């Protein structure tokens, strides 16, 4: 049995498999030396996928999840010209996680993370993947979040160019609370930005972005902040209550701003003055 270890939002994930797990681009920094694990997954590539039975918990993005007697089975599939083919089944029974894989091209990091549906597993522990650009400046994290095409990567790049801020991820970050404070963690999920650094930092502010003809910033709270944050979290429908509670806690404990901005240094100046009162 071979073991591979991964860093996931401050947790250590151990994956045991009889087959070698290939390396995926952007995952190398998130691979760890052997150490005490928080989650263990056993991969089985020799047995057939278990049968589908029980109540449907959710279906989304090529996945079907069933629950029966407290045991969940998550089937993941890929598409071919002749139809959809299931290639994996993740079985969760209490703390035990087993992953059955039937994939002709073997195992590799990104495929395993997809088959395991890591954002769903972490959401169960109160850790949420957020659609955002994550930069560290003066030891603290700024989380730029909004829908696609809102300028998240642009603002992150401006902070890197003009203030030397480190871009940790241009597309996704994990958010979790530690000792009552919100922290951001890098992830291997990085989209087209191709920036994925395994670092974490306490969150200075969550910035909801909006493109505009001029720069304007104001604090937001209540339903505006809650809706803006919730819309960018990754979770399944049955986890609505957990996601809502998490977003509410973010609104209560972390500064949330709405930044309407143009894509140049003037937006950096305004946000820096607001956050660090320069």
């Amino acid at each position: 049995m071979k073991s591979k270890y991964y860093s996931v939002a401050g947790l250590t994930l151990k994956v045991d498999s009889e087959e070698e797990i290939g390396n995926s681009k952007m995952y190398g920094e998130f691979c760890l030396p052997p150490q005490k694990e928080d989650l263990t997954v056993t991969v089985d590539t020799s047995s057939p996928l278990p049968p589908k039975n029980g109540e449907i918990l959710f279906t989304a993005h090529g996945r079907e999840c069933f629950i029966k007697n407290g045991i969940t089975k998550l089937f993941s599939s890929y598409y071919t010209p002749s139809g959809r083919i299931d290639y994996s089944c993740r079985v969760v029974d209490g703390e035990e996680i087993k992953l059955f894989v039937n994939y002709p091209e073997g195992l590799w990091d990104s495929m395993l993370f997809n088959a395991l549906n890591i954002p769903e597993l972490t959401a169960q522990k109160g850790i949420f993947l957020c659609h955002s650009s994550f930069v560290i400046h003066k030891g603290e994290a700024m989380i730029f979040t909004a829908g696609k095409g809102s300028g998240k990567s642009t603002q992150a790049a401006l902070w890197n160019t003009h203030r030397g801020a480190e871009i940790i991820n241009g597309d996704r970050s994990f958010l979790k609370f530690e000792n009552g404070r919100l922290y951001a963690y890098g992830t291997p999920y990085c989209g087209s930005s191709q920036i994925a650094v395994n670092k974490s930092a306490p969150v200075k502010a969550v910035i909801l972005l909006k493109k505009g003809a001029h720069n304007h910033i104001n604090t937001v709270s209540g339903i505006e902040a809650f809706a803006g944050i919730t819309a960018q979290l990754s979770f399944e429908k049955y986890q609505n209550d957990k996601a809502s509670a998490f977003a509410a806690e973010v609104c209560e404990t972390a500064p949330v701003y709405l930044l309407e901005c143009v894509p140049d240094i003037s937006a950096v100046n305004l946000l820096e003055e607001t956050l660090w009162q320069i």
Side-chain angles (χ1 to χ4, degrees), residues 32-100:
L32 301 172
Q35 57 192 270
K36 176 63 177 175
E37 69 275 11
D38 299 292
L39 292 170
T40 302
V41 174
T42 303
V43 178
D44 184 340
T45 57
S46 59
S47 303
L49 302 187
K52 294 182 178 181
N53 52 27
E55 176 187 352
I56 292 181
L57 190 58
F58 66 87
T59 59
H61 313 300
R63 297 189 177 103
E64 294 178 292
C65 188
F66 300 81
I67 184 168
K68 184 177 182 180
N69 298 327
I71 300 172
T72 63
K73 295 179 182 179
L74 174 70
F75 293 84
S76 296
S77 60
Y78 61 89
Y79 291 88
T80 70
S82 58
R84 197 174 76 180
I85 297 175
D86 292 326
Y87 70 88
S88 70
C89 176
R90 186 203 72 194
V91 180
V92 178
D93 184 359
E95 293 298 313
E96 182 181 356
I97 305 174
K98 193 164 187 178
L99 183 67
F100 296 86

Side-chain angles (χ1 to χ4, degrees), residues 123-189:
Q124 288 296 97
K125 295 181 175 293
I127 303 168
F128 285 84
L129 189 66
C130 180
H131 186 209
S132 57
S133 286
F134 163 22
V135 304
I136 294 179
H137 182 59
K138 296 182 178 180
E140 295 180 290
M142 290 185 292
I143 301 299
F144 295 101
T145 185
K148 186 176 181 180
S150 59
K152 298 182 296 298
S153 296
T154 298
Q155 292 302 315
L158 287 168
W159 273 86
N160 175 259
T161 299
H162 298 291
R163 294 296 184 272
E166 183 178 9
I167 303 174
I168 305 302
N169 195 295
D171 194 61
R172 295 285 194 278
S173 59
F174 275 115
L175 300 178
K176 66 185 288 191
F177 282 95
E178 296 178 3
N179 300 317
R181 184 164 185 189
L182 185 65
Y183 276 72
Y185 280 79
T187 89
Y189 305 111

Side-chain angles (χ1 to χ4, degrees), residues 94-268:
E95 293 298 313
E96 182 181 356
I97 305 174
K98 193 164 187 178
L99 183 67
F100 296 86
V101 179
N102 182 7
Y103 199 78
E105 296 182 17
L107 306 177
W108 64 94
D109 300 328
S110 59
M111 184 267 276
L112 287 173
F113 269 52
N114 185 65
L116 288 168
N117 196 1
I118 292 294
E120 182 212 357
L121 290 179
T122 60
Q124 288 296 97
K125 295 181 175 293
I127 303 168
F128 285 84
L129 189 66
C130 180
H131 186 209
S132 57
S133 286
F134 163 22
V135 304
I136 294 179
H137 182 59
K138 296 182 178 180
E140 295 180 290
M142 290 185 292
I143 301 299
F144 295 101
T145 185
K148 186 176 181 180
S150 59
K152 298 182 296 298
S153 296
T154 298
Q155 292 302 315
L158 287 168
W159 273 86
N160 175 259
T161 299
H162 298 291
R163 294 296 184 272
E166 183 178 9
I167 303 174
I168 305 302
N169 195 295
D171 194 61
R172 295 285 194 278
S173 59
F174 275 115
L175 300 178
K176 66 185 288 191
F177 282 95
E178 296 178 3
N179 300 317
R181 184 164 185 189
L182 185 65
Y183 276 72
Y185 280 79
T187 89
Y189 305 111
C190 58
S192 60
S193 76
Q194 297 294 289
I195 301 173
V197 180
N198 187 15
K199 286 188 178 181
S200 65
V203 174
K204 180 73 171 180
V206 177
I207 300 105
L208 308 179
L209 282 182
K210 181 180 178 182
K211 287 184 177 180
H214 56 83
N215 294 314
H216 178 75
I217 190 169
N218 60 280
T219 57
V220 290
S221 58
I223 190 64
E224 184 177 9
F226 176 84
I229 292 167
T230 304
Q232 304 308 324
L233 300 180
S234 297
F235 59 93
E236 304 299 346
K237 287 184 178 180
Y238 80 95
Q239 298 175 315
N240 279 340
D241 290 346
K242 282 184 177 291
S244 294
F246 180 82
E249 189 174 1
V250 172
C251 295
E252 291 170 4
T253 59
V256 182
Y257 294 87
L258 174 63
L259 176 62
E260 183 178 353
C261 58
V262 296
D264 63 33
I265 191 174
S266 62
V268 175

Side-chain angles (χ1 to χ4, degrees), residues 263-274:
D264 63 33
I265 191 174
S266 62
V268 175
N269 294 337
L270 175 61
L271 183 56
E272 185 177 47
E273 290 169 4
T274 302

